[in-house]
Amino acid sequence: MKADFSKRLKKLPPYLFLEIDKAKQKARQEGKDIIDLGIGDPDIGTPEEVIESLYKATKDPRNHHYPLDQGIADFRKKIVEWYRDRFGVRLDPEREVLALIGSKEGIAHLPLAFLDEKDVALVPDPCYPPYRGGVILAGGTVYNMPLLEENNFLPDLKRIEKSVLKKAKLLYINYPNNPTGAVCEKGFFEDVVLFAKRYNIIVAHDAAYSEITFDGYKPESFLKVDGAMDVGVEFHSLSKTCNMTGWRIGFVCGNEWIIRGIAKVKSNIDSGVFTAIQLAGVTALDIAKRHAERMNLIYEDRRDALVDGLNSIGWKTRKTKATFYVWTRLPAPYRSSIKFAKMVLDRAGIVLTPGIGFGSAGEGYVRMALTVSKDRIREALDRFKKIL
Ligand SMILES: *Cc1c(COP(=O)(O)O)cnc(C)c1O
């Protein structure tokens, strides 16, 4: 049997990271010592308290059933508390909070709730790939907003043509940003709210890295801005905040109508997050502050080692205030991020993510994740020195 893939499936861009993954596996099989700066997945495990809490919750048969669609009351209540304490944002746990099977799930399902054919979604370029994928799978059209270094990796909303704005229904933004590591000021969020109201566009802010910050920087919530609750939602995840990527737990907060749309899609596709994982999520939010403080010292130390080291061998790399990524232009004379990444893997056994994998405006850059030890970062720098 070889049925034709649907048009929307065929429209999806190739998942570039899969190819890098294959090349990496092959190199490992050949016995090479690989330093993986590719994936953004914390190397340090989930905190012990969270694991204990899952263990306990799993033993209780009351937690073995289908979970409630919107998430258990304890988890939603804890999210509301966390938003109040961390961001000074007030939320209604019944109507403005929804548990997700990782934030990626909600991010990718959102377009199914609001986009029809010919509707446009405004998507940053480069970006976290599920924004683009979710829009295409829903049958919508992607409009790429380039994130340029000279504009501090913020989209220039004023440059979007009127004809596009007429059809635009959804806008994705993401600060602190993956892959660029950029952060934004509150003024940008205010501009986004005015823009969204003026053109009647839903805003989806992805705040996955709000807790991974350095140099005393603390981002605000998009929802804190006047009027944001009228136009948007904010996605959050325990993956990066609490080293829980494999657990699949996140949440979305904000505008009731948008939340209701996502919930309706989900009720037709999945049956929620395992209750015991939600209870572990309560513990995770309880310790999130302490945990992030500890992790951020580690990431900051690695960032300094990597960025200072790269700059000392001729790269021009800036220190970012947030996320565990270093986003840097290719050293001269290289131009193709894929060719560069392949060369570095072949000759130095270092995995990097080519910028073009995040969108065409990412070409000319590579992303390095700070999810390996400082010793390995030093080793990577030694190897760069030898091949460049
Ligand atoms: C890692 C990441 C997420 C988190 O995804 P989960 O599904 O919650 O694991 C969301 N957005 C961005 C930009 C990310 O890099």
Side-chain angles (χ1 to χ4, degrees), residues 128-142:
Y128 180 54
Y131 309 153
R132 213 169 269 131
V135 171
I136 294 170
L137 283 174
T141 302
V142 171

Side-chain angles (χ1 to χ4, degrees), residues 94-109:
E94 293 302 323
R95 290 173 300 152
E96 294 170 337
V97 178
L98 177 68
L100 297 171
I101 310 170
S103 60
K104 181 180 186 177
E105 178 260 298
I107 285 166
H109 278 146

Side-chain angles (χ1 to χ4, degrees), residues 102-104 107 128 131 174 178 206 208-209 237 239-240 248-249 325:
S103 60
K104 181 180 186 177
I107 285 166
Y128 180 54
Y131 309 153
N174 163 222
N178 176 13
D206 179 355
Y209 294 93
S237 166
S239 289
K240 318 295 161 55
R248 312 315 302 134
I249 183 163
Y325 301 114

